[in-house]
C-alpha cells in the first residue's frame, strides 16, 4: 500500500507540472483525487486493511492527499499565470504614437468667448442671446439711431427684401424691414423689454457688416457686449469693470484707459484702450479694444425704464480682435478657414 | 479732417508740442489718424546764393564746378554740383558746411573727384519742402543773396488728420477745433475780425444793382435760410500765397481767389458757400426749388446728373445751376472772366442733402458738412467773413440789395443741471469751480447760479448755437469729463451686488453640444453665415434660394443665409484636404435659417461630419465612421436638446435632399415641433463634385430657440425590480425592406399583450441581423432578445415559457413574419 501511495505521488509530481490547459488540469485532477480517481480508489481499500494498521495507513493516505493537493495547487498557479500571460500578449511599445485622431478642440473664438463669460459671470453677469436676423427697431431705433443715421445705410447693413418673413423674429412695427444685426446691442433691447431692472447681461454673438473682407475685416464677425442696469451706476463703475475684465484676462498690471467718443446709445461714450506692452505682435503702448459708455436715457425711455431711477453702462468689443490680440494672430480670415493646423494650436 | 497747426494759431496761441496737441485732440474725443509735417524744417547754415560761373568738372562728365556768391558775410564759394536745370545768374539755396539737412544729412567741406567743394546747392527735396524734385530749387523771386533760406521758403506746418465724430459737426472747421484746444490748454480764443457788417450805406449813395433781381425759396422746409450778396467789379486771379499755402497744407488745390476764399471760410467756420458768376444767372434770378423729374445738370466734376423731384436745386430762371448743398454746375460758376459775383450762403436740411447725395452717389466737402449739420445761426457771419476776404483780395464792392430769405428762428437753449448730479453720474468728485471753468471754456456759460431748496446748488447753462448735440444734463456730464480728462477717472473695485441670472438656454445647449463633440474628438469650426445662391439651389431647394436671399448682398458668393451648417464643414474639409492636412471629424454650432411654409425660421444648430482621413498613414488602422456612429452622435446631441431621438420616428431621406445619400440617411422631427435632425451618409456624387475625396458621414440638429427655452418638467424616479430577469431569444424572418423598428414594435406589442399584468416585458431589442445562406431570397432575419421580469418574485420557467409560447403563436397568426427555427 505504502509503495502504491509513493508511486502515486511520484506520478503526480511528474504529470501535474507538465499540464498546459485547464481541461488537462481538470482531467488530471479527476484522475488523482476525483470520485473515481486513483487516490479515492486506494482510500476505498482501507476496509481491507487490518484494524491495528488503519491509523498509520490513514495518516499515510492523508499525507499523500496533502502532497498531491500541493502539486495540484502549484499546477493551477502555473496554469493561471500562463493564461494571464497569454491574455496580456507581448509588452507594448509605449513610445508608439496613438493612431486615434484627437483630442478634439474648441475653436479659439469659443475659448475666448467662454473665458470672457466666465470672468463676467463672477461679477453677476449672465449670458443673454437673441436673433441674428433683426428688425430696424431693435437694431437701430431703440438704440437712438434714427432713420437718417448713416449707420443704417444699405451701404453698410445687409437688408432683406420687403417680402421676406421670419416666423420667429418678432417685429415691433409691421412696416419695419428685416436686416442682419450690425451689433449685439439688439439683444440688450430685447432683454430689457422682456425683463425688468436691475439686470446684468453679457451678450456674445455673430454680427454682420456690409464690408470688404481683408486681413482685418470679415463679412461676419463676433461681438461681446455687457449691459449693467441698476440704481446709481457711475462712470467710475464702468471703468472698474473694464479694469477688472482685462486684469482677469491678461494679468495684474494690465491697464485700460478711456478716450471720449460718440455712440448714439450711450452718453457719455468712450473708446477703451488696453496697455499693450506685454502682448505679442503689438508695437504700441496702447491699443483700442472696444467701446463703452453710460446707457443713454433715451434708450431707457424706449424700453420703459424710468431714466430718473435707472442708470447703467454698456461695453462692447470684437471677439476676433480680442482673440487676435491675445494669441498674436494677424489675419482675421484664419478664424473662418479652419485649417486644422490653426485649430489645434489653442486647445 | 485735416487741421493745420499754423491755421489754428490764428485763433489760439498754442505753444504746446505736437505730441501734447495730439494728446489733447485724442482726449477731447477725436482720433488723430495721421500727423503730417509740411513746409521747410528749421535749417541753419542754408542761405540764398547766386551762381556766378559754371564749368564742367575736369574729371566727371555729369558734374559742374561752380562759383556761388552767398553775400557779404560768406563771400564767393566753390561748389561742385550734379544738377543740370540751372544757369549762371540763378538764385538757389546753398547749404554750407555745418548745415544739417532733413534725414540727418550733415554738409561738410569735401573733395569731389579731386575738386574741393565748399557746400551744396540744394533741391526742394533735399530741403524737405517737396516729395521729389528734378534738379535745384530755382528761387524765381530772386531773394537777396545771403538771406537765410527759412526766410524765403514757406514756413513749416504740422497737419493733424483727425476723425470728427458725427455728433460734432462744429469741429469740421479750424475754428471749432481751436475752440476745443483753447479750452483744453486754458488759452484765450480769438475770433476772426470782420469789417463788413452787412450794412449798405444807401443813404451815402451805395449803388443798387440789377445783377440779381429776385431770390425766391420755393421749398423752405428743406432750405430754412438762403442769403445772397452781390459783389461787383471783382478781379478773379490767383489767391495770395498765404491763402494758397493754407489750402495746400490741408490737401486742397488752389483754383482762384474767389473759389479759394469759399473753401477757406468753409474750413475756417464750417459753413459751406457757393459763388456764382452773376452774369451767367439766367433772368438774374435765383430760385431754390425742387428739381423736375428727369431734369439734368452737369456738375463741376464734368458729369451729367439726372435729377428727380425730391432733390433740391438752386436754379436761375430757366435751369438748375447748383445741386443744393452738394455741388455747383458748370454753367454758372466763377471763371477767369467773372467780374460780378453772387455769393450764396445758405442752410439746407441734413436729410434733404443726405438723400440726394446718396441717390446721386455724389458727395463733397459741402454735402459732408450739411449732412452732419451746419450752424444756421452763424451763416450770415460766415458770409460777412467771406465778403471781407473777397474785397481784400479780389477787390470789388458789395452792391444792393442783400437777399435774406428765411432763417429768423432765434436760438436759445438752456440746460439746468446741479453739480451734485454731475458728481453722482461720474462717481467721483470734481470741485464746482473746475466744472464751471470747463463749461465756460467751451462757451457753455452759466446764466444763473442759485440754491434751489431740495436740490442744492443749481446751474442754468446756456448752450451756444453750434452745440446742437447738447440738450440734457447728462450731455454736460460728458463735457465736464472731457475737459477733466478721461485718463484721470479713478480706479475702483468692481461693483457686483448679488444678482445672478441663468444663462440663456441656447447658450447652455451650445455648450453641452460642443462639450460632447469635442469630447468625441471633433474639431470645432466657424464658417460664414452667408452662402452663394447656387449652392442653396443645388443642395437644398429653389424655394430656399428664393426665400433666404439678402436684398443687398455685397459679393455674389455671399448672397444668402445658410440653411445648414454642412456646406461650411464640407468647405473646411476640402480646404484641409487640398492643403494636405489630414482631417476627419469636424463640427460647428451656429444659426441656420429654415424656410417652412413661406416663412423663414432662425434656428440654433449643431452639425458634425466624419470623413475618411484621406492621406493618413498610421501603424495601426482604425475604422472610419459609419451610419451607426453618426446615429449615436445625433442621439447624444438630441438628448442635450431634450429630444429622445431613439423614440422618434425616422424617415428615410429620398432624393438628394440637403445633400444626403438616399438609402443611407434619415431625417426626424419637424419644425412645427421645434426641431429637425438629419444624419447619415452625405451624397457621394455631390461630395465628389465638390472635389472631396472619400466617404463623408454627418449629422445636423436644428432647434428653434423657443423650444430650448420651454420649461421641461423634472424627471420622476421609477421603481425597478431587484429580482432576476428571465431571457428568451426569438429570431423573425422578414422582407428585406422591412425596418427593424417596425418588427420590434409589433413584437413588443405582442409580448406586452401576452404578459398582461402578471409581470413586465422589460425590453425587446435587436441583437443580430442576418441575411444569406439558409434564408429565402429577399428575406432577412432579426434576432430579438426579450427580457421579462417581475417586481415581487423570481419568475419561474413555466410562467415564462407559457408567455413565450403564446407570443410565438401570435406572431404566426397576426404578423407576416416567420419564426426562424
Amino acid at each position: 500500500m505504502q509503495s502504491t501511495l509513493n508511486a502515486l505521488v511520484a506520478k503526480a509530481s511528474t504529470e501535474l507540472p507538465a499540464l498546459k490547459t485547464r481541461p488537462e488540469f481538470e482531467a488530471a485532477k479527476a484522475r488523482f483525487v476525483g470520485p473515481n480517481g486513483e487516490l479515492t480508489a486506494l482510500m476505498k481499500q482501507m476496509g481491507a486493511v487490518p484494524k491495528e494498521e488503519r491509523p498509520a495507513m490513514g495518516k499515510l493516505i492523508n499525507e499523500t492527499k496533502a502532497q498531491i493537493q500541493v502539486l495540484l495547487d502549484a499546477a493551477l498557479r502555473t496554469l493561471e499565470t500562463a493564461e494571464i500571460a497569454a491574455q496580456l500578449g507581448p509588452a507594448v511599445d509605449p513610445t508608439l504614437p496613438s493612431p486615434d485622431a484627437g483630442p478634439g478642440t474648441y475653436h479659439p473664438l469659443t475659448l475666448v468667448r467662454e473665458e470672457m463669460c466666465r470672468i463676467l459671470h463672477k461679477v453677476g453677469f449672465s449670458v443673454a442671446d437673441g436673433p441674428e436676423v433683426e428688425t430696424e427697431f431693435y437694431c437701430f431705433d431703440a438704440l437712438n439711431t434714427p432713420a437718417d443715421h448713416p449707420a443704417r445705410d444699405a451701404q453698410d447693413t445687409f437688408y432683406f427684401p420687403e417680402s421676406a418673413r421670419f416666423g420667429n423674429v418678432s417685429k415691433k412695427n409691421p412696416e419695419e424691414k428685416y436686416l442682419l444685426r450690425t451689433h449685439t446691442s439688439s439683444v440688450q433691447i430685447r432683454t430689457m423689454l422682456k425683463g425688468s431692472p436691475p439686470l446684468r447681461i453679457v451678450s456674445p454673438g455673430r454680427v454682420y457688416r456690409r464690408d470688404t473682407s481683408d486681413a482685418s475685416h470679415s463679412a461676419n464677425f463676433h461681438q461681446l457686449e455687457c449691459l449693467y442696469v441698476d440704481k446709481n451706476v457711475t462712470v467710475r463703475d464702468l471703468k472698474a469693470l473694464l479694469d477688472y475684465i482685462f486684469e482677469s484676462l491678461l494679468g495684474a498690471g494690465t491697464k485700460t484707459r478711456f478716450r471720449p467718443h460718440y455712440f448714439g446709445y450711450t452718453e457719455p461714450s468712450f473708446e477703451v484702450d488696453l496697455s499693450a506692452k506685454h502682448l505679442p505682435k503689438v508695437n504700441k503702448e496702447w491699443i483700442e479694444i472696444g467701446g463703452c459708455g453710460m446707457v443713454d436715457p433715451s434708450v431707457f425711455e424706449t424700453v420703459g425704464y424710468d431714466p430718473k431711477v435707472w442708470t447703467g453702462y454698456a461695453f462692447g468689443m470684437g471677439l476676433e480682435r480680442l482673440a487676435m490680440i491675445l494669441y498674436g494672430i494677424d489675419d482675421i480670415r484664419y478664424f473662418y478657414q479652419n485649417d486644422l493646423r490653426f485649430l489645434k494650436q489653442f486647445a | 479732417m485735416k487741421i493745420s497747426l499754423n491755421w489754428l494759431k490764428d485763433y489760439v496761441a498754442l505753444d504746446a508740442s505736437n505730441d501734447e496737441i495730439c494728446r489733447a485732440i485724442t482726449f477731447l474725443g477725436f482720433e488723430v489718424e495721421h500727423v503730417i509735417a509740411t513746409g521747410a524744417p528749421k535749417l541753419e547754415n542754408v542761405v540764398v546764393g547766386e551762381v556766378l560761373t559754371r564749368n564742367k568738372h575736369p574729371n566727371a562728365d555729369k558734374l559742374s564746378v561752380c562759383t556761388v556768391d552767398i553775400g557779404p558775410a560768406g563771400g564767393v564759394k566753390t561748389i561742385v554740383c550734379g544738377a543740370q536745370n540751372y544757369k549762371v545768374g540763378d538764385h538757389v539755396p546753398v547749404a554750407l558746411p555745418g548745415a544739417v539737412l532733413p534725414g540727418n544729412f550733415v554738409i561738410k567741406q569735401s573733395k569731389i573727384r579731386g575738386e574741393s567743394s565748399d557746400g551744396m546747392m540744394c533741391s526742394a527735396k533735399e530741403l524737405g519742402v517737396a516729395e521729389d524734385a528734378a534738379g535745384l530749387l530755382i528761387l524765381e523771386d530772386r531773394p537777396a543773396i545771403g538771406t537765410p533760406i527759412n526766410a524765403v521758403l514757406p514756413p513749416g506746418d504740422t497737419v493733424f488728420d483727425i476723425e470728427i465724430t458725427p455728433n460734432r459737426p462744429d469741429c469740421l472747421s479750424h475754428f471749432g477745433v481751436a475752440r476745443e484746444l483753447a479750452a483744453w490748454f486754458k488759452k484765450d480764443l480769438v475770433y476772426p475780425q470782420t469789417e463788413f457788417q452787412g450794412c449798405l450805406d444807401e443813404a451815402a449813395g451805395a449803388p443798387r444793382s440789377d445783377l440779381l433781381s429776385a431770390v425766391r425759396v420755393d421749398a423752405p422746409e428743406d432750405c430754412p435760410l438762403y442769403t445772397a450778396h452781390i459783389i461787383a467789379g471783382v478781379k478773379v486771379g490767383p489767391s495770395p500765397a498765404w491763402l494758397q499755402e493754407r489750402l495746400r497744407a490741408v490737401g486742397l488745390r488752389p483754383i482762384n481767389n474767389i473759389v479759394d476764399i469759399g473753401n477757406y471760410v468753409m474750413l475756417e467756420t464750417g459753413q459751406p458757400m457757393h459763388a456764382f458768376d452773376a452774369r451767367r444767372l439766367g433772368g438774374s434770378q435765383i430760385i431754390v426749388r425742387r428739381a423736375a423729374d428727369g431734369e439734368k445738370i452737369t456738375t463741376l466734376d464734368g458729369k451729367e446728373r439726372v435729377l428727380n423731384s425730391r432733390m433740391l436745386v438752386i436754379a436761375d430762371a430757366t435751369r438748375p445751376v447748383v445741386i443744393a448743398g452738394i455741388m455747383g454746375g458748370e454753367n454758372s460758376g466763377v471763371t477767369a472772366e467773372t467780374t460780378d459775383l453772387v455769393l450764396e450762403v445758405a442752410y439746407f436740411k441734413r436729410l434733404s442733402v443726405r438723400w440726394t447725395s446718396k441717390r446721386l452717389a455724389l458727395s463733397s466737402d459741402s454735402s459732408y458738412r450739411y449732412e452732419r449739420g451746419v450752424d444756421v445761426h452763424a451763416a450770415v457771419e460766415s458770409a460777412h467773413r467771406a465778403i471781407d476776404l473777397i474785397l481784400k483780395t479780389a477787390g470789388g464792392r458789395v452792391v444792393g440789395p442783400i437777399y435774406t430769405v428765411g432763417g429768423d428762428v432765434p436760438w436759445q437753449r438752456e440746460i439746468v443741471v446741479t453739480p451734485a448730479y454731475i458728481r453722482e453720474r461720474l462717481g467721483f468728485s470734481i470741485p464746482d469751480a473746475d466744472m464751471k471753468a470747463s463749461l465756460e471754456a467751451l462757451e457753455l456759460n452759466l446764466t444763473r447760479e442759485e440754491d434751489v431748496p431740495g436740490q442744492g446748488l443749481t446751474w442754468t447753462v446756456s448752450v451756444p448755437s453750434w452745440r446742437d448735440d447738447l440738450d440734457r444734463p447728462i450731455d454736460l456730464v460728458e463735457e465736464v469729463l472731457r475737459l477733466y480728462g478721461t485718463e484721470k477717472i479713478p480706479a475702483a473695485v468692481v461693483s457686483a451686488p448679488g444678482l445672478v441670472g441663468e444663462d440663456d438656454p441656447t447658450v447652455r445647449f451650445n455648450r453641452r453640444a460642443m462639450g460632447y463633440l469635442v469630447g468625441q474628438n471633433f474639431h470645432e469650426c466657424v464658417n460664414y453665415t452667408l452662402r452663394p445662391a447656387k449652392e442653396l439651389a443645388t443642395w437644398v431647394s429653389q424655394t430656399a434660394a428664393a426665400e433666404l436671399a439678402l436684398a443687398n448682398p455685397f459679393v455674389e458668393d455671399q448672397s444668402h443665409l445658410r440653411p445648414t451648417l454642412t456646406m461650411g464643414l464640407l468647405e473646411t474639409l476640402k480646404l484641409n484636404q487640398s492643403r494636405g492636412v489630414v482631417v476627419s471629424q469636424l463640427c460647428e454650432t451656429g444659426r441656420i435659417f429654415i424656410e417652412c411654409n413661406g416663412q423663414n425660421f432662425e434656428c440654433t444648430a449643431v452639425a458634425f461630419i466624419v470623413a475618411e482621413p484621406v492621406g493618413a498613414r498610421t501603424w495601426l488602422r482604425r475604422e472610419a465612421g459609419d451610419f451607426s456612429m453618426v446615429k449615436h452622435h445625433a442621439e447624444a446631441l438630441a438628448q442635450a436638446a431634450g429630444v429622445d431621438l431613439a423614440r422618434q420616428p425616422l424617415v428615410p431621406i429620398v432624393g438628394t435632399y440637403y445633400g444626403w445619400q438616399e438609402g443611407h440617411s434619415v431625417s426626424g422631427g419637424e419644425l412645427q415641433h421645434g426641431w429637425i435632425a438629419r444624419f447619415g451618409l452625405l451624397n457621394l456624387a455631390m461630395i465628389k463634385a465638390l472635389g472631396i475625396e472619400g466617404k463623408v458621414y454627418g449629422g445636423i440638429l436644428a432647434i428653434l430657440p423657443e423650444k430650448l427655452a420651454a420649461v421641461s418638467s423634472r424627471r420622476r424616479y421609477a421603481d425597478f425590480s431587484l429580482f432576476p430577469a428571465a431571457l428568451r431569444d426569438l429570431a423573425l424572418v422578414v422582407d428585406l425592406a422591412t425596418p427593424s423598428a417596425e418588427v420590434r414594435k409589433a413584437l413588443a406589442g405582442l409580448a406586452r399583450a401576452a404578459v398582461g399584468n402578471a409581470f413586465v416585458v422589460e425590453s425587446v431589442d435587436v441583437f443580430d441581423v442576418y441575411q444569406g445562406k439558409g434564408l429565402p431570397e429577399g428575406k432577412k432575419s432579426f434576432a430579438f432578445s426579450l427580457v421579462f421580469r417581475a417586481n415581487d418574485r423570481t419568475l419561474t420557467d413555466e410562467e415564462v415559457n407559457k408567455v413565450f409560447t403564446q407570443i410565438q403563436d401570435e406572431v404566426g397568426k397576426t404578423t407576416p413574419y416567420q419564426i426562424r427555427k
Side-chain angles (χ1 to χ4, degrees):
Chain A
M1 184 90 182
Q2 185 165 0
S3 60
T4 319
L5 285 171
N6 286 343
L8 193 62
V9 171
K11 193 174 153 202
S13 60
T14 50
E15 280 182 21
L16 290 180
L19 294 175
K20 290 279 181 276
T21 68
R22 238 171 229 274
E24 279 173 25
F25 172 78
E26 295 301 337
K29 188 178 172 184
R31 211 158 58 240
F32 288 103
V33 295
N36 302 315
E38 294 178 38
L39 187 64
T40 320
L42 288 174
M43 284 162 75
K44 285 178 185 158
Q45 294 172 19
M46 279 287 277
V49 175
K51 200 174 181 179
E52 58 279 12
E53 288 178 27
R54 276 186 199 169
M57 195 52 68
K59 192 179 169 216
L60 197 62
I61 286 178
N62 279 343
E63 279 171 12
T64 306
K65 195 176 173 184
Q67 280 171 335
I68 291 176
Q69 192 56 49
V70 166
L71 287 166
L72 280 169
D73 288 348
L76 186 61
R77 268 200 306 279
T78 310
L79 207 59
E80 278 171 349
T81 307
E83 273 173 0
I84 283 172
Q87 210 175 346
L88 284 173
V92 295
D93 176 354
T95 64
L96 277 169
S98 167
D100 296 318
T105 52
Y106 286 101
H107 194 278
L109 291 176
T110 301
L111 293 172
V112 170
R113 183 193 69 216
E114 289 299 306
E115 188 167 357
M116 284 294 287
C117 289
R118 271 199 305 279
I119 289 169
L120 286 158
H121 210 263
K122 283 197 281 184
V123 287
F125 287 79
S126 54
V127 186
D129 196 46
E132 289 177 12
V133 168
E134 263 300 354
T135 74
E136 291 176 298
F137 173 79
Y138 295 101
C139 196
F140 296 132
D141 295 295
L143 289 156
N144 208 18
T145 311
D148 63 327
H149 196 279
R152 293 177 67 151
D153 269 352
Q155 202 176 319
D156 305 316
T157 304
F158 288 115
Y159 283 93
F160 290 93
E162 292 194 7
S163 60
R165 290 200 293 152
F166 285 85
N168 61 342
V169 181
S170 59
K171 277 188 181 182
K172 185 82 175 174
N173 319 303
E175 65 278 10
E176 280 185 86
K177 274 189 279 185
Y178 283 113
L179 48 84
L180 282 171
R181 66 180 179 193
T182 55
H183 47 198
T184 47
S185 313
S186 51
V187 180
Q188 299 183 4
I189 301 301
R190 286 188 184 270
T191 308
M192 283 195 280
L193 282 171
K194 207 164 59 185
S196 57
L199 51 87
R200 225 174 295 164
I201 56 159
V202 49
S203 55
R206 184 169 286 205
V207 300
Y208 302 82
R209 300 273 166 92
R210 206 169 166 276
D211 204 349
T212 317
S213 293
D214 60 27
S216 51
H217 295 86
S218 169
N220 62 239
F221 60 101
H222 296 80
Q223 277 188 341
L224 180 138
E225 291 201 353
C226 305
L227 171 71
Y228 187 118
V229 181
D230 210 329
K231 290 174 182 164
N232 305 316
V233 183
T234 69
V235 172
R236 192 179 185 180
D237 291 331
L238 169 58
K239 180 68 164 50
L241 178 84
L242 271 294
D243 284 339
Y244 160 76
I245 290 176
F246 289 104
E247 282 205 19
S248 305
L249 201 61
L250 295 161
T254 305
K255 289 190 172 60
T256 63
R257 69 171 192 190
F258 284 7
R259 283 180 286 110
H261 198 65
Y262 170 74
F263 303 111
Y265 34 94
T266 48
E267 179 73 25
S269 305
F270 312 98
E271 287 196 311
V272 184
D273 289 344
L274 186 59
S275 66
K277 267 175 255 159
H278 54 316
L279 296 171
K281 294 194 190 175
V282 180
N283 299 315
K284 286 192 282 188
E285 195 184 350
W286 296 96
I287 47 167
E288 193 184 317
I289 191 69
C292 67
M294 307 306 290
V295 178
D296 196 288
S298 65
V299 174
F300 282 141
E301 274 162 21
T302 305
V303 297
Y305 293 5
D306 183 355
K308 289 198 176 67
V309 177
W310 298 105
T311 49
Y313 61 68
F315 159 66
M317 65 188 301
L319 275 179
E320 276 86 348
R321 182 166 168 76
L322 179 62
M324 287 167 89
I325 289 168
L326 290 180
Y327 295 120
I329 298 166
D330 38 29
D331 193 324
I332 197 171
R333 289 168 293 202
Y334 290 153
F335 291 112
Y336 295 90
Q337 288 178 352
N338 305 302
D339 190 312
L340 222 56
R341 293 167 296 176
F342 175 81
L343 296 180
K344 282 179 174 175
Q345 293 186 35
F346 309 99
Chain B
M1 172 174 190
K2 289 200 171 81
I3 295 287
S4 147
L5 179 57
N6 288 347
W7 196 336
L8 286 176
K9 285 178 178 171
D10 285 0
Y11 321 115
V12 53
L14 290 173
D15 51 10
S17 71
N18 287 351
D19 283 351
E20 284 170 321
I21 293 170
C22 276
R23 231 183 85 82
I25 295 171
T26 303
F27 285 96
L28 283 162
F30 309 105
E31 207 162 318
V32 180
E33 287 172 339
H34 302 285
V35 180
I36 309 144
T38 66
K42 189 98 192 88
L43 296 165
E44 305 282 350
N45 291 328
V46 186
V47 299
V48 177
E50 180 176 330
V51 182
L52 299 178
T53 62
R54 173 182 175 176
N55 296 304
K56 205 180 107 15
H57 192 293
N59 303 322
D61 286 347
K62 290 189 176 162
L63 298 179
S64 306
V65 181
C66 305
T67 52
V68 183
D69 184 358
I70 58 162
V76 175
K77 301 285 181 191
T78 303
I79 293 175
V80 176
C81 181
Q84 306 297 333
N85 68 323
Y86 63 101
K87 57 186 189 299
V88 169
D90 278 348
H91 285 200
V92 296
V94 181
L96 299 168
V100 181
L101 300 185
N104 216 14
F105 179 27
V106 182
I107 302 298
K108 292 180 205 147
Q109 186 104 29
S110 63
K111 272 202 167 169
I112 300 171
R113 299 266 185 120
E115 292 292 315
S116 78
S117 183
D118 297 334
M120 185 173 95
M121 296 190 279
C122 306
S123 69
K125 186 182 178 184
E126 283 157 344
L127 295 175
V129 295
E131 287 300 307
D132 55 3
L136 300 185
L137 174 65
I138 311 294
L139 302 167
E140 305 287 357
D141 295 344
R142 303 186 65 76
I145 296 165
T147 313
I149 201 70
N150 279 120
V152 173
L153 296 176
D157 194 358
T158 302
V159 174
F160 304 97
D161 194 353
I162 64 182
E163 192 192 315
I164 306 294
T165 48
N167 59 326
R168 293 301 304 274
D170 62 303
C171 285
L172 292 169
S173 68
H174 279 76
F175 193 74
V177 173
R179 182 185 287 117
E180 293 278 307
L181 288 171
W184 180 270
F185 288 112
K186 300 187 168 63
K187 301 259 183 196
D188 291 332
L189 183 68
V190 183
Y191 274 75
Q193 290 302 308
T194 305
E195 282 167 28
F196 180 75
Q197 290 300 329
C199 305
L200 291 175
D201 194 356
E202 294 188 37
R208 282 188 66 89
S209 163
D210 55 359
L211 285 166
L212 185 61
S213 58
V215 172
R216 203 175 78 222
V217 177
D218 289 351
E221 61 282 9
D222 284 346
C223 176
L225 171 68
Y226 193 93
T227 71
H229 290 80
I230 307 152
I231 308 165
V234 298
K235 191 173 180 315
V236 176
S239 295
W242 68 266
L243 179 49
Q244 295 201 18
E245 221 168 81
R246 286 277 159 92
L247 295 180
R248 278 207 191 89
V250 297
L252 255 62
R253 191 167 52 89
I255 295 174
N256 61 45
N257 46 10
I258 305 302
V259 173
D260 292 353
I261 286 166
N263 282 331
Y264 179 82
V265 176
M266 176 182 72
L267 295 174
E268 176 175 79
T269 66
Q271 170 66 53
M273 44 192 70
H274 185 77
F276 300 98
D277 183 330
R279 296 184 186 280
R280 296 172 77 189
L281 286 173
S284 305
Q285 285 183 24
I286 285 178
I287 302 156
V288 183
R289 62 166 168 86
R290 293 183 198 283
D293 280 320
E295 207 168 7
K296 288 173 186 161
I297 181 171
T298 302
T299 40
L300 281 170
D301 55 3
K303 289 190 182 134
E304 190 183 71
R305 314 274 173 180
V306 181
L307 308 173
N308 71 30
S309 59
R310 208 176 136 181
M311 297 172 176
L312 193 68
V313 295
I314 316 303
D316 64 11
T318 56
R319 58 195 178 147
V321 291
V322 174
I323 304 174
I326 302 177
M327 195 176 278
E330 278 184 333
N331 53 17
S332 58
V334 173
T335 68
E337 285 74 44
T338 301
T339 56
D340 304 313
L341 300 178
V342 173
L343 181 71
E344 164 202 297
V345 175
Y347 175 68
F348 304 110
K349 282 282 183 69
R350 296 161 59 167
L351 268 180
S352 163
V353 173
R354 202 174 99 80
W355 191 88
T356 306
S357 165
K358 284 283 156 210
R359 192 47 69 97
L360 293 174
L362 176 65
S363 66
S364 62
D365 284 342
S366 165
S367 67
Y368 190 82
R369 285 170 175 77
Y370 278 122
E371 281 179 36
R372 278 157 183 76
V374 164
D375 180 11
V376 60
H377 304 278
V380 170
E381 227 172 279
S382 300
H384 294 170
R385 170 75 171 150
I387 289 163
D388 242 28
L389 290 171
I390 291 172
L391 298 182
K392 270 182 201 147
T393 59
R397 57 186 178 152
V398 181
V399 296
I402 293 171
Y403 293 94
T404 302
V405 183
D408 47 4
V409 188
W411 169 268
Q412 208 213 342
R413 185 181 291 174
E414 286 182 337
I415 301 174
V416 176
V417 67
T418 68
Y421 168 84
I422 298 177
R423 279 189 285 267
E424 261 168 43
R425 294 280 70 80
L426 291 176
F428 57 93
S429 194
I430 302 176
D432 287 357
D434 292 4
M435 292 197 214
K436 221 154 100 176
S438 294
L439 292 173
E440 294 198 319
L442 293 166
E443 300 184 51
L444 296 159
N445 297 319
L446 268 59
T447 54
R448 211 162 46 244
E449 186 170 6
E450 58 193 330
D451 241 313
V452 177
Q455 291 179 32
L457 183 63
T458 301
W459 292 338
T460 304
V461 178
S462 79
V463 177
S465 60
W466 58 85
R467 291 304 301 273
D468 196 23
D469 59 313
L470 306 178
D471 59 2
R472 304 163 302 177
I474 191 72
D475 299 327
L476 297 182
V477 173
E478 175 162 40
E479 295 309 291
V480 167
L481 180 55
R482 279 197 315 131
L483 287 192
Y484 173 77
T486 49
E487 269 193 311
K488 292 192 282 186
I489 300 168
V493 172
V494 65
S495 151
L499 174 71
V500 181
E502 184 75 276
D503 287 351
D504 188 276
T506 307
V507 174
R508 281 182 281 147
F509 166 72
N510 278 337
R511 264 185 210 141
R512 232 180 120 177
M514 261 316 113
Y516 170 79
L517 287 169
V518 169
Q520 295 291 323
N521 297 336
F522 284 84
H523 298 284
E524 187 190 9
C525 300
V526 171
N527 282 290
Y528 293 113
T529 301
L530 298 176
R531 312 287 312 179
K534 212 176 121 195
E535 183 182 281
L536 270 76
T538 314
W539 286 73
V540 184
S541 67
Q542 291 291 351
T543 318
E547 295 292 331
L548 297 172
L550 289 170
N552 59 338
F554 189 64
V555 286
E556 204 189 336
D557 62 353
Q558 297 191 331
S559 58
H560 283 65
L561 292 176
R562 61 183 177 189
T564 171
L565 296 174
T566 320
M567 299 309 306
L569 291 174
L570 290 175
E571 201 165 80
T572 296
L573 175 62
K574 187 184 169 183
L575 175 127
N576 279 283
Q577 283 189 351
S578 70
R579 290 181 178 178
V581 179
V582 177
V583 60
S584 170
Q585 302 204 115
L586 301 172
C587 66
E588 182 169 2
T589 59
R591 299 304 171 95
I592 64 168
F593 302 85
I594 296 176
E595 185 276 326
C596 181
N597 300 330
Q599 282 194 311
N600 301 322
F601 290 85
E602 180 170 334
C603 301
T604 192
V606 50
F608 59 91
I609 59 171
V610 181
E612 283 176 39
V614 174
R617 306 187 66 191
T618 171
W619 62 277
L620 185 61
R621 179 58 70 183
R622 296 291 207 219
E623 284 301 311
D626 58 23
F627 183 88
S628 300
M629 177 195 199
V630 293
K631 180 174 184 180
H632 171 76
H633 292 325
E635 283 175 347
L637 295 173
Q639 190 187 42
V643 172
D644 186 354
L645 195 59
R647 288 170 169 274
Q648 298 289 335
L650 295 173
V651 183
I653 288 174
V654 178
T656 59
Y657 185 64
Y658 276 91
W660 295 97
Q661 179 69 53
E662 184 170 332
H664 296 263
S665 59
V666 288
S667 69
E670 278 177 69
L671 207 56
Q672 287 90 326
H673 300 147
W675 66 279
I676 290 176
R678 287 186 292 272
F679 55 88
L681 182 66
L682 283 155
N683 190 286
L684 268 184
M686 291 168 87
I687 296 284
K688 215 170 177 182
L690 283 183
I692 290 169
E693 287 180 59
K695 278 186 185 175
V696 183
Y697 284 91
I700 182 165
L701 177 71
I703 307 150
L704 293 177
E706 45 273 37
K707 158 97 177 160
L708 290 168
V711 185
S712 60
S713 55
R714 192 174 289 283
R715 293 295 184 90
R716 300 304 297 254
Y717 159 77
D719 214 356
F720 54 89
S721 166
L722 298 174
F723 293 93
L727 310 182
R728 294 292 183 276
D729 292 349
L730 184 63
L732 299 179
V733 177
V734 306
D735 287 345
L736 263 186
T738 310
S740 71
E742 189 180 307
V743 185
R744 197 204 79 89
K745 197 178 167 194
L747 182 59
L750 294 177
R752 276 195 301 273
V755 165
N757 293 327
F759 46 96
V760 293
V761 184
E762 200 170 75
S763 66
V764 177
D765 287 316
V766 183
F767 70 89
D768 192 35
V769 183
Y770 176 77
Q771 71 183 83
K773 207 175 150 195
L775 285 183
E777 191 76 6
K779 297 279 180 185
K780 63 183 171 186
S781 118
F782 291 121
F784 290 93
S785 160
L786 294 89
V787 179
F788 305 96
R789 209 191 289 263
N791 277 330
D792 52 355
R793 64 187 193 281
T794 302
L795 290 172
T796 63
D797 264 357
E798 292 81 60
E799 54 186 335
V800 175
N801 286 345
K802 191 177 151 219
V803 162
F804 190 52
T805 309
Q806 194 185 334
I807 292 170
Q808 294 178 71
D809 290 349
E810 287 299 315
V811 166
K813 276 188 241 164
T814 64
T815 74
Y817 318 135
Q818 286 84 50
I819 291 166
R820 190 175 171 207
K821 302 289 177 190

